[in-house]
Amino acid sequence: MPTQSAYPVVEHTDPAGQTKQDFTSDQDVRWCPGCGDYSILAQVQKLMPTLGIPKENFVFVSGIGCSSRFPYYMNTYGIHSIHGRAPAVATGIKAVRPDLSVWLVTGDGDGLSIGGNHLLHVLRRNVDVKILLFNNQIYGLTKGQYSPTSPLGKKAKSTPLGSVDYPLDPVSVALGAGATFVARTVDTNVKHIEATLKRAAAHKGSAFVEIYQNCPIFNDAAFDFLTDKSQKEDNELVLEHGKPLRFGPNGGRGIALDGSLTPRIVDVTTEGEDKLLRHDETNEMVSLVVSRLKHPAFPVPVGVFRAVDRPSYDVMMNEQVEAASQGNKKSLQQLIDAGSWTVA
Amino acid sequence: MGTSSPGKAPEQVESVAIRFAGDSGDGMQLVGTQFTSTTALAGNDLATLPDFPAEIRAPAGSLAGVSGFQINFSSNPVFTAGDLLDVLVAMNPAALARNLKDLKEGGILIANSEAFNAKNLERAGYRENPLDTAVVSAYRLFKVDVTALTLASVRAFKLDHRAATRCKNFFALGLIYWLYSRSMDATVQWIERKFGDKVLGQANLAALRAGYNYGETTEMFDHAYEVRKAAITPGKYRNISGNEALALGLMAGSELSGLNLFLGSYPITPASDVLHMLSNMKALGVRTFQAEDEIAAVCACLGAAYAGALAATTTSGPGMALKAEAMGLAVMTELPMVVINVQRAGPSTGMPTKTEQADLMQAMFGRNGESPLPVLAARTPGDCFHAAIEAARIAVTYMTPVVLLTDGYLANGAEPWPVPNIDAMPRFPVSFRTDTEGFKPYLRDASLARPWAIPGTPGLEHRVGGLEKDNGTGNISYDGANHEAMCRLRAEKVARVADSLPPTVVEGAQEGDLLVLGWGSTYGSISGGIHKVAARNLKIGHVQLQHINPLPKDLEHIMKRFRRVMVPELNLGQLAMILRARFPETTIHSHTKIQGLPFRENDIAKAIIQLLETN
């Protein structure tokens, strides 16, 4: 039976010489003017040559939606698959080719509505893929219906009187599924995107990054509370491992937990820093509590919620194959012959 | 062992069909498989068919919980598991109620008399004990208190009552071994291997021997029977079920193509065995993925194909329905993939443990848009091996998803199978594209296949997807003329598969009165049916299609050589509909059955006679 020799032996590109241009495809980018996706694309194209991976070893997988056009713009291997199913496609790639760097681009509709099931399972299995979920809280490509992350009461094309279903929080969903790396960043904050994606890329196992992304056509200004200069300071809570949760002008406010695990906002100058909850990416309880901080009652956390090491599905699967093959004494012909008798 | 009673020599009989029937917890399947192995070793031709309830454990003694196993063995060629039974072993009243209609008049009925108690009779819907009434008067009834005799035989092992009672299937097996002059050696060895020196193994052995000795000493039966060896072509054989053959066939496809095998599947009756078997093959490099659902299974398959594996997914009808969109994506992206549908009775959940051939139209057309792909069908359990290889060959040669249809009858049925030699089989090595010179993702070779350029290959970076693409470059294209050209090209690529097919084999008459044209698992029933009317000197030919899309190029010519064409299928006439559309000049006589059961040989024989006598 074939093994690694089933794939062509090639001379890989030297990653040291790669530039952003190498990752830019010749396709016209067709997102609407002002779309947040442009900024994310630029940051991803900028990050790729810094990872020390030959560009032919990248695969970008997507489903359907505005965000899922992404692979066409990356000069790498890629599959623009079907709605919601990118996690499953990526799992298949990784299962047979653990040597590849697989990136998955999805949206709030693609990833959490039609693809919610697959997203849960790719995270549960800890398949070594990097998942970028562009959350614009709306369906863009189908022209403006509310999405599973739209706030209750959202008036959109299919909810003229306001939606009556409660939204999902992607970060909480990912944590609930047992994801080993969960982060959130924002399309306009290019430095933060860069730092977050760098960490996601370095993570071994599933890395889930929610990116708040503005849709200027169907849901403009949805994240102004985080991106607008006058509001940002009061609403952004930047997570740093081991540091107390502080936000606001000069970090004057912070998050504390009372005895019943209920978060509250405290004034750091009067109550002191010791009262504050310290962020811990390796403590699941802390990650879960922090993920429940929601606008407008609380500031919105951005950064890495959780980062822990756990063997990934593809590595364990291939280790099993490896270990079983080493002790194998049976050929395929012997299996075919099993239990046979001869008629003379 | 293996000799009959000292009193009389065994009576020679040509062929015997036996059905073991009992509660789903009674171990009838085990008894059946043991009897099968022993019969194969004795040199008979044979065919088997298990019949188990959809319920894992329906209430004991209930009609719903009846599990059966049928074996037909002969000194002549065997085509099916047998129409009517020579012997019925009924372990309880429900088993009798469910199966008595299939017993030949004058056939042997062995009933576990102890189980015919008031409670079980009521559960089976009997007001009085049928063993004491005219219900069984047409048969040769042998009442055996299997339970009591079993308990007596294992008393020495001090098992609890439940464990002791569970040995009764081996008692019944021992009795049948005596009745058909069979050696117990193979089963003795099996028990020793399975249980080692555990007390339960010793108890089962004791029950087996007690059953055998009971037949020999009680003189209850006047004499034993013997079925002589069949004249089987010399060679190496093994017993194989369709699902086993599929698993081995996919592995052979991997070996012959030089590709690593990946299976993405979701558990579904009656296809799960293939997943079980292949997940046991990690030592040979097989990777299996039990997905979260049918869609994930086929999508993972598509990802593995893109990454350069021989990718397969196995399912049954309801799962097939869910896979449709991803199969369309595979058609659009022109990625090789083997999609196996082990058909069962539908629609919807239907009858999961019953066989049917009603997913043909779904395989052909069950996707949005013009979405052509090759469709194959396996004809016997052993043929599932070759059909899987053929599906893999077509997939990687033409860069296309391929549907392989089998069904529950093939999946669980078994036959002695001439063991193939892998080294003697034609290889179809795949060479991935590595040359960057002039590369485009949708270039075409002579068979219209596009290059397979896998991730990790420098300079061939490209994107594929579900949007319509420009031929050659693969760039997204919404141009109407290009779309038409691409639709025609994808159809033509599938049509060209026919160029690689060998001439169609016509069994029996090469021209004349009637061509019986079947597909899939009806092969045995049709062969047996034609065999049954042999004495009438009709000129009957038989073609069993392996390739349904595209159809073989010589099929029309073959049909024209016969006065009539009959198409038997286990549906309401799906292949007939396709043939009528493709060959409007030819009159197609459709003969159908849709009862969750294979055709009986007699069904086919009668249909042949009726057609030829009324036309």
Side-chain angles (χ1 to χ4, degrees):
Chain A
M1 298 288 287
T3 55
Q4 199 54 38
S5 64
Y7 307 112
V9 178
V10 296
E11 195 170 325
H12 281 296
T13 311
D14 178 6
Q18 294 179 152
T19 65
K20 181 182 172 184
Q21 206 45 46
D22 292 324
F23 288 88
T24 307
S25 82
D26 60 356
Q27 303 293 300
D28 293 338
V29 183
R30 295 207 180 156
W31 290 310
C32 307
C35 175
D37 292 1
Y38 283 96
S39 154
I40 306 168
L41 176 65
Q43 289 313 308
V44 172
Q45 286 170 337
K46 197 173 127 193
L47 174 75
M48 295 291 112
T50 70
L51 299 177
I53 298 170
K55 97 183 148 105
E56 62 270 14
N57 279 8
F58 285 99
V59 186
F60 275 76
V61 186
S62 66
I64 295 290
C66 295
S67 62
S68 288
R69 291 288 178 118
F70 202 96
Y72 289 118
Y73 309 138
M74 298 293 300
N75 189 20
T76 62
Y77 285 90
I79 304 182
H80 176 217
S81 77
I82 46 179
H83 206 9
R85 318 300 175 195
V89 174
T91 300
I93 296 172
K94 230 18 223 194
V96 296
R97 297 286 304 279
D99 58 306
L100 299 172
S101 177
V102 181
W103 292 66
L104 201 157
V105 180
T106 180
D108 42 314
D110 186 68
L112 289 165
S113 246
I114 190 165
N117 189 33
H118 307 303
L119 185 62
L120 288 180
H121 289 282
V122 76
L123 295 172
R124 165 179 79 83
R125 293 189 183 102
N126 198 31
V127 182
D128 183 25
V129 298
K130 315 303 154 210
I131 302 166
L132 312 182
L133 185 144
F134 300 5
N135 183 4
N136 56 14
Q137 299 186 346
I138 201 79
Y139 280 94
L141 196 69
T142 52
K143 301 193 169 49
Q145 301 83 4
Y146 77 119
S147 92
T149 58
S150 301
L152 184 71
K154 176 73 184 172
K155 287 191 173 162
K157 276 198 180 141
S158 55
T159 49
L161 302 180
S163 69
V164 293
D165 32 0
Y166 300 99
L168 275 175
D169 171 53
V171 165
S172 300
V173 168
L175 289 168
T180 51
F181 181 95
V182 182
R184 177 187 290 139
T185 185
V186 187
D187 58 0
T188 54
N189 190 342
V190 294
K191 282 213 160 16
H192 195 263
I193 296 183
E194 189 184 6
T196 310
L197 293 184
K198 222 178 185 54
R199 284 206 53 194
H203 181 73
K204 299 260 186 291
S206 291
F208 177 85
V209 182
E210 178 191 23
I211 308 174
Y212 281 165
Q213 171 251 319
N214 190 45
C215 173
I217 307 299
F218 295 108
N219 202 18
D220 196 25
F223 303 107
D224 270 9
F225 64 91
L226 266 188
T227 55
D228 180 64
K229 280 202 172 60
S230 64
Q231 304 177 60
K232 181 177 168 178
E233 202 169 30
D234 285 331
N235 292 317
E236 183 184 60
L237 171 61
V238 180
L239 300 173
E240 287 185 80
H241 181 61
K243 298 268 172 67
L245 299 175
R246 295 179 67 162
F247 69 103
N250 303 319
R253 281 174 290 161
I255 304 290
L257 285 187
D258 69 12
S260 63
L261 286 185
T262 308
R264 62 185 179 92
I265 295 173
V266 301
D267 185 329
V268 180
T269 45
T270 57
E271 300 207 35
E273 206 181 58
D274 295 349
K275 278 269 193 336
L276 302 185
L277 179 63
R278 278 182 186 275
H279 185 49
D280 183 350
E281 294 168 355
T282 64
N283 182 322
E284 194 173 21
M285 292 305 150
V286 173
S287 304
L288 285 166
V289 168
V290 173
S291 83
R292 305 311 292 166
L293 299 173
K294 301 246 171 67
H295 181 75
F298 290 99
V300 171
V302 296
V304 178
F305 289 77
R306 182 158 173 77
V308 289
D309 277 335
R310 199 184 297 154
S312 69
Y313 176 85
D314 41 294
V315 166
M316 290 192 290
M317 178 198 238
N318 283 283
E319 276 174 354
Q320 274 194 348
V321 169
E322 199 66 30
S325 308
Q326 291 197 333
N328 181 44
K329 303 274 187 290
K330 273 216 167 95
S331 68
L332 175 58
Q333 189 62 53
Q334 284 171 300
L335 290 170
I336 293 171
D337 290 350
S340 63
W341 65 89
T342 303
V343 175
Chain B
M1 289 301 174
T3 54
S4 73
S5 68
K8 286 188 180 172
E11 180 189 343
Q12 301 298 323
V13 282
E14 260 184 20
S15 71
V16 179
I18 302 180
R19 187 180 298 167
F20 299 93
D23 208 64
S24 59
D26 281 349
M28 292 296 103
Q29 303 302 325
L30 179 62
V31 163
T33 50
Q34 284 301 311
F35 193 86
T36 303
S37 307
T38 295
T39 300
L41 289 173
N44 297 130
D45 197 4
L46 63 92
T48 64
L49 181 64
D51 172 26
F52 27 70
E55 293 76 11
I56 303 295
R57 286 278 186 272
S62 69
L63 287 167
V66 175
S67 165
F69 189 101
Q70 187 170 328
I71 173 166
N72 188 17
F73 57 105
S74 176
S75 45
N76 293 324
V78 166
F79 303 108
T80 66
D83 281 6
L84 286 171
L85 304 171
D86 299 287
V87 184
L88 172 64
V89 179
M91 298 299 279
N92 66 15
L96 184 80
R98 275 275 307 273
N99 296 292
L100 195 61
K101 63 181 188 313
D102 297 332
L103 185 58
K104 271 180 196 160
E105 219 167 282
I108 294 175
L109 169 60
I110 299 172
N112 175 19
S113 55
E114 181 275 342
F116 284 71
N117 55 39
K119 199 161 69 170
N120 283 342
L121 288 168
E122 189 191 343
R123 282 183 183 140
Y126 287 116
R127 291 227 178 86
E128 50 191 333
N129 190 342
L131 304 182
D132 305 329
T133 67
V135 171
V136 297
S137 59
Y139 315 105
R140 290 188 294 159
L141 170 67
F142 298 96
K143 290 198 243 181
V144 183
D145 190 342
V146 176
T147 313
L149 289 161
T150 303
L151 290 174
S153 70
V154 303
R155 190 164 297 135
F157 302 102
K158 301 198 166 44
L159 298 171
D160 64 66
H161 182 77
R162 187 165 168 271
T165 311
R166 289 193 57 173
C167 298
K168 65 180 185 291
N169 59 338
F170 280 101
F171 183 96
L173 180 62
L175 178 57
I176 299 293
Y177 275 165
W178 174 81
L179 189 61
Y180 286 97
S181 318
R182 291 286 184 232
S183 159
M184 287 192 286
D185 295 355
T187 297
V188 168
Q189 284 162 14
W190 181 87
I191 293 173
E192 284 168 350
R193 266 203 317 274
K194 182 163 172 68
F195 293 96
D197 52 4
K198 287 199 189 87
V199 94
L200 200 57
Q202 293 165 12
N204 280 326
L205 280 175
L208 177 76
R209 292 195 171 107
Y212 191 99
N213 296 339
Y214 181 83
E216 189 157 25
T217 56
T218 56
E219 297 189 0
M220 166 178 211
F221 299 93
D222 182 56
H223 55 270
Y225 298 85
E226 190 171 26
V227 178
R228 291 247 166 98
K229 279 185 182 179
I232 295 170
T233 315
K236 203 190 264 189
Y237 290 83
R238 67 168 282 182
N239 203 44
I240 198 157
S241 72
N243 277 345
E244 283 173 330
L246 277 181
L248 290 171
L250 288 171
M251 289 170 75
S254 155
E255 179 87 16
L256 298 171
S257 63
L259 298 169
N260 285 326
L261 177 62
F262 175 85
L263 179 82
S265 278
Y266 185 76
I268 186 169
T269 301
S272 306
D273 284 344
V274 185
L275 170 63
H276 304 161
M277 289 172 212
L278 287 175
S279 57
N280 234 328
M281 297 296 167
K282 290 197 170 63
L284 281 88
V286 179
R287 288 165 180 80
T288 56
F289 169 59
Q290 185 182 311
E292 57 270 27
D293 61 28
E294 295 280 0
I295 299 172
V298 68
C299 286
C301 208
L302 185 129
Y306 183 70
L310 174 63
T313 183
T314 47
T315 188
S316 187
M320 198 71 174
L322 289 165
K323 292 184 195 293
E325 190 192 6
M327 286 163 62
L329 178 65
V331 169
M332 195 61 145
T333 52
E334 301 184 47
L335 284 167
M337 188 195 292
V338 178
V339 179
I340 298 174
N341 177 356
V342 185
Q343 299 167 97
R344 66 191 221 190
S348 186
T349 316
M351 301 192 285
T353 59
K354 305 293 176 194
T355 201
E356 204 157 281
Q357 298 182 295
D359 298 348
L360 178 58
M361 287 300 189
Q362 179 194 37
M364 293 281 292
F365 306 113
R367 293 165 298 284
N368 60 306
E370 291 290 347
S371 181
L373 45 72
V375 178
L376 315 180
R379 62 174 61 186
T380 64
D383 185 47
C384 289
F385 175 85
H386 300 286
I389 294 171
E390 177 68 351
R393 178 191 74 85
I394 293 172
V396 300
T397 307
Y398 293 86
M399 293 293 281
T400 176
V402 175
V403 173
L404 168 57
L405 297 171
T406 75
D407 60 33
Y409 175 61
L410 295 180
N412 296 312
E415 61 171 352
W417 180 55
V419 173
N421 178 354
I422 277 280
D423 292 337
M425 301 181 89
R427 293 181 172 263
F428 41 95
V430 167
S431 56
F432 294 114
R433 172 96 185 201
T434 52
D435 185 8
T436 55
E437 194 58 43
F439 170 74
K440 290 178 190 165
Y442 286 82
L443 286 172
R444 304 286 164 187
D445 68 10
S447 61
L448 296 183
R450 72 175 190 89
W452 199 356
I454 61 173
T457 317
L460 302 185
E461 292 82 1
H462 67 281
R463 278 66 58 196
V464 296
L467 289 166
E468 184 58 282
K469 51 216 13 82
D470 182 49
N471 192 22
T473 65
N475 289 336
I476 299 168
S477 167
Y478 295 136
D479 179 78
N482 173 73
H483 175 54
E484 174 147 355
M486 287 298 277
C487 284
R488 291 188 183 282
L489 196 149
R490 287 186 287 259
E492 174 61 21
K493 183 173 81 164
V494 172
R496 284 192 191 183
V497 172
D499 296 339
S500 70
L501 306 183
T504 302
V505 174
V506 184
E507 294 181 25
Q510 297 302 298
E511 56 184 20
D513 299 314
L514 174 68
L515 175 70
V516 186
L517 180 55
W519 67 279
S521 70
T522 56
Y523 176 74
S525 314
I526 293 172
S527 305
I530 293 172
H531 196 76
K532 275 188 158 48
V533 299
R536 298 177 178 246
N537 288 327
L538 297 160
K539 296 180 79 182
I540 302 173
H542 175 197
V543 165
Q544 197 73 11
L545 289 175
Q546 183 181 59
H547 294 267
I548 302 172
N549 195 38
L551 286 163
K553 290 182 156 179
D554 54 5
L555 183 64
E556 188 169 21
H557 180 67
I558 292 168
M559 290 197 296
K560 285 197 164 113
R561 302 202 303 249
F562 291 87
R563 214 158 44 85
R564 311 234 169 280
V565 178
M566 179 169 84
V567 178
E569 349 174 34
L570 301 171
N571 55 45
L572 295 181
Q574 299 190 11
L575 177 64
M577 189 187 286
I578 290 168
L579 294 170
R580 284 168 182 153
R582 283 286 311 276
F583 310 111
E585 309 294 298
T586 308
T587 303
I588 301 288
H589 297 274
S590 176
H591 177 68
T592 63
K593 172 178 178 176
I594 188 149
Q595 299 172 16
L597 294 163
F599 282 114
R600 288 183 165 167
E601 296 175 17
N602 254 340
D603 296 339
I604 303 291
K606 276 188 196 148
I608 291 172
I609 292 160
Q610 198 182 11
L611 178 63
L612 293 181
E613 285 181 356
T614 56
N615 284 278

